[in-house]
């Protein structure tokens, strides 16, 4: 049985780092595992201008020990009113990789998002010209559509027409959760890729709802049935460069999860790589982990692959029941349970 996995330092291409005290509490948790991350702009208020995104980047860096080596990248939050000139401003900033499409109301802090894709067609055209990437939360918000079907319907109604209309626009369908999402990305042109989270690779919706409701497994898009999980796992281990790592680690304080209207989001950052390793190991595909975690994302974003290595060892340990700190208590994914892999050497400092 394979006991170690050696990987080129990986990156997290979809991460919620929050702001203020919570940022100071969680940033180092991701920086310990990853070399770079694409930090999401759904703050309160959202990062709707490049200038705000760059100021946030500095706050992220300030929240980490000096010389840490972690490099955050940003995506700017699209609204119905994003000014066209913002696209050329973004294109000048090496740390801004693109713009994020949140359909208004689809997920946490998406209220200021886009109410109709036609409203941002001029922006998408400019992004295509400037070769900026569109990061997409791919769910419709139509109340008539069942929550488990919202990704599939978004692809049919919105994404397929956008890809046809903007054939050179590079798009990442974030946190894919369905067979239809996998099929769409696989069948789409080279311009389209997708990220996969650890929770969607490891769990189906039974985890959320069997034997009691488990708020720490509640995220959006919500966990789906087992057939979908299997489709996601086969995409992750396929070696297809269109699929890469994006944890979507989304910390909320315990009291905001364990309540009568709890927030969506799984805090997977403390053991993100170990969780991916577990999923790949279960599928007998540890040899495919490195490309998924360390190469495909960097290649898609046209950034150099990282240098340096990390090592994962097969070794059992127990995830703490919570992570305390300045902002309060956060319950991680798999709290109090056994993990099978352990990161045994951390990214080297540059
Ligand atoms: N999903 N929670 C959050 C974001 C993501 O849609 C997402 O990217 C969050 O709390 O920011 C969640 O469940
Ligand atoms: Zn999302
Ligand atoms: Zn997210």
């Amino acid at each position: 049985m394979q006991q170690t996995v050696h990987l080129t330092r990986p990156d997290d291409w979809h991460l919620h780092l929050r702001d203020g005290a919570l940022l100071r509490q969680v940033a180092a948790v991701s920086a310990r595992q990853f070399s770079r991350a694409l930090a999401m702009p759904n703050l309160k208020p959202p990062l709707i201008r490049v200038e705000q995104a760059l100021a946030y980047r500095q706050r992220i860096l300030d929240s980490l020990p000096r010389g840490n080596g972690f490099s955050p990248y940003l995506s700017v939050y699209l609204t119905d009113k994003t000014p066209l000139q913002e696209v050329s401003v973004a294109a000048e900033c090496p740390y801004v990789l693109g713009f994020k499409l949140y359909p208004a109301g689809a997920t946490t802090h998406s209220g200021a998002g886009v109410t109709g894709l036609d409203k941002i067609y001029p922006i998408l055209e400019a992004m295509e010209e400037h070769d900026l990437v569109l990061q997409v939360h791919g769910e419709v918000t139509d109340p008539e559509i069942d929550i488990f079907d919202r990704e599939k319907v978004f692809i049919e109604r919105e994404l397929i027409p956008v890809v046809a209309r903007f054939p050179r626009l590079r798009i990442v369908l974030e946190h894919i959760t369905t067979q239809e999402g996998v099929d769409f990305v696989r069948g789409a042109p080279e311009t389209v890729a997708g990220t996969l989270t650890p929770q969607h690779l490891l769990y189906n919706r039974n985890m959320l709802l069997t034997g009691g409701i488990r708020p720490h497994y509640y995220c959006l898009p919500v966990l789906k049935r087992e057939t979908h999980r299997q489709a996601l796992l086969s995409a992750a281990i396929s070696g297809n460069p269109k699929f890469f790592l994006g944890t979507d680690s989304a910390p909320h304080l315990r009291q905001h999860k364990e309540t009568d209207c709890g927030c969506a989001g799984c805090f997977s950052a403390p053991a993100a790589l170990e969780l991916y390793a577990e999923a790949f190991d279960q599928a007998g595909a540890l040899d495919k982990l490195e490309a998924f975690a360390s190469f495909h994302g960097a290649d898609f974003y046209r950034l150099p692959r990282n240098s340096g290595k990390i090592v994962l060892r097969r070794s059992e340990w127990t995830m703490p029941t919570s992570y305390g700190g300045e902002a309060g208590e956060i319950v991680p994914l798999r709290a109090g349970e056994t993990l099978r892999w352990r990161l045994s050497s951390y990214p080297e400092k540059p």
Side-chain angles (χ1 to χ4, degrees):
M1 200 190 270
Q2 189 175 341
Q3 298 299 322
T4 56
V5 189
H6 293 253
L7 301 179
T8 298
R9 292 161 66 188
D11 303 307
D12 183 351
W13 296 112
H14 183 130
L15 175 64
H16 299 269
L17 284 171
R18 311 307 192 199
D19 211 347
L22 200 48
L23 167 65
R24 290 191 288 276
Q25 191 168 330
V26 302
V29 179
S30 286
R32 185 180 77 89
Q33 295 218 328
F34 296 102
S35 183
R36 297 172 287 197
L38 183 61
M40 289 295 130
N42 63 333
L43 304 182
K44 265 166 123 178
L47 305 175
I48 59 172
R49 295 286 183 273
V50 171
E51 197 184 6
Q52 292 173 306
L54 294 178
Y56 178 52
R57 181 172 198 273
Q58 192 55 50
R59 295 200 294 284
I60 299 171
L61 293 173
D62 291 345
S63 71
L64 291 165
R66 287 217 179 278
N68 174 281
F70 179 74
S71 186
Y73 287 78
L74 285 309
S75 172
V76 178
Y77 190 115
L78 286 172
T79 72
D80 288 351
K81 301 207 168 92
T82 302
L84 205 49
Q85 82 242 24
E86 221 40 35
V87 178
S88 45
V89 175
E92 294 301 309
C93 299
Y95 293 113
V96 176
L97 297 183
F99 286 83
K100 175 79 191 227
L101 168 61
Y102 287 109
T107 188
T108 308
H109 305 156
S110 62
V114 174
T115 61
L117 268 173
D118 50 327
K119 305 223 165 75
I120 56 162
Y121 278 171
I123 298 279
L124 299 184
E125 204 178 320
M127 285 175 64
E128 194 176 31
E129 282 312 307
H130 286 88
D131 200 21
L132 283 159
V133 176
L134 179 69
Q135 288 91 17
V136 180
H137 179 104
E139 288 191 292
V140 291
T141 54
D142 183 343
E144 307 258 293
I145 305 295
D146 190 277
I147 190 161
F148 291 98
D149 296 331
R150 287 181 179 190
E151 182 172 292
K152 169 176 162 258
V153 175
F154 183 87
I155 291 166
E156 291 161 2
R157 281 192 194 165
E158 314 282 5
L159 221 37
I160 291 173
V162 164
V163 172
R165 193 178 179 115
F166 303 98
R168 289 180 295 117
L169 178 63
R170 289 194 298 139
I171 299 174
V172 179
L173 179 57
E174 300 289 354
H175 48 51
I176 308 171
T177 64
T178 59
Q179 169 87 60
E180 290 83 356
V182 167
D183 291 346
F184 164 74
V185 170
R186 269 213 186 101
E190 290 304 292
T191 45
V192 178
T195 53
L196 295 162
T197 78
Q199 67 267 25
H200 293 100
L201 292 178
L202 285 167
Y203 309 120
N204 62 41
R205 62 197 191 180
N206 287 359
M207 198 62 181
L208 182 65
L209 297 168
T210 305
I213 189 156
R214 295 162 191 267
H216 301 292
Y217 288 85
Y218 172 58
C219 65
L220 288 171
V222 70
L223 292 171
K224 304 295 192 299
R225 63 167 67 239
E226 177 62 10
T227 49
H228 294 293
R229 186 189 74 85
Q230 286 180 15
L232 302 173
L233 192 56
S234 62
I237 65 169
S238 65
N240 184 334
K242 285 168 160 263
F243 298 101
F244 52 85
L245 186 157
T247 62
D248 199 13
S249 179
H252 291 278
L253 296 181
R254 180 197 280 277
Q255 64 269 28
H256 298 146
K257 296 282 294 175
E258 299 175 7
T259 176
D260 58 2
C261 187
C263 295
C266 298
F267 183 46
S268 60
L273 276 173
E274 291 91 332
L275 290 164
Y276 283 110
E278 200 172 298
F280 277 64
D281 189 18
Q282 280 168 11
L286 282 169
D287 61 319
K288 296 293 199 308
L289 182 60
E290 182 180 40
F292 173 82
S294 314
F295 298 159
H296 296 166
D299 295 352
F300 185 83
Y301 280 112
R302 299 181 182 152
L303 293 167
R305 293 179 181 182
N306 293 316
S307 55
K309 294 272 182 190
I310 58 154
V311 183
L312 286 160
R313 286 185 202 287
R314 192 183 293 279
S315 156
E316 294 199 344
W317 59 288
T318 305
M319 174 63 76
T321 50
S322 77
Y323 277 73
E326 196 185 335
E329 225 189 320
I330 313 166
V331 178
L333 200 65
R334 286 282 272 281
E337 290 177 38
T338 304
L339 278 113
R340 295 173 201 132
W341 288 90
R342 182 155 218 171
L343 187 62
S344 74
S345 66
Y346 301 151
E348 292 156 19
K349 300 199 173 15

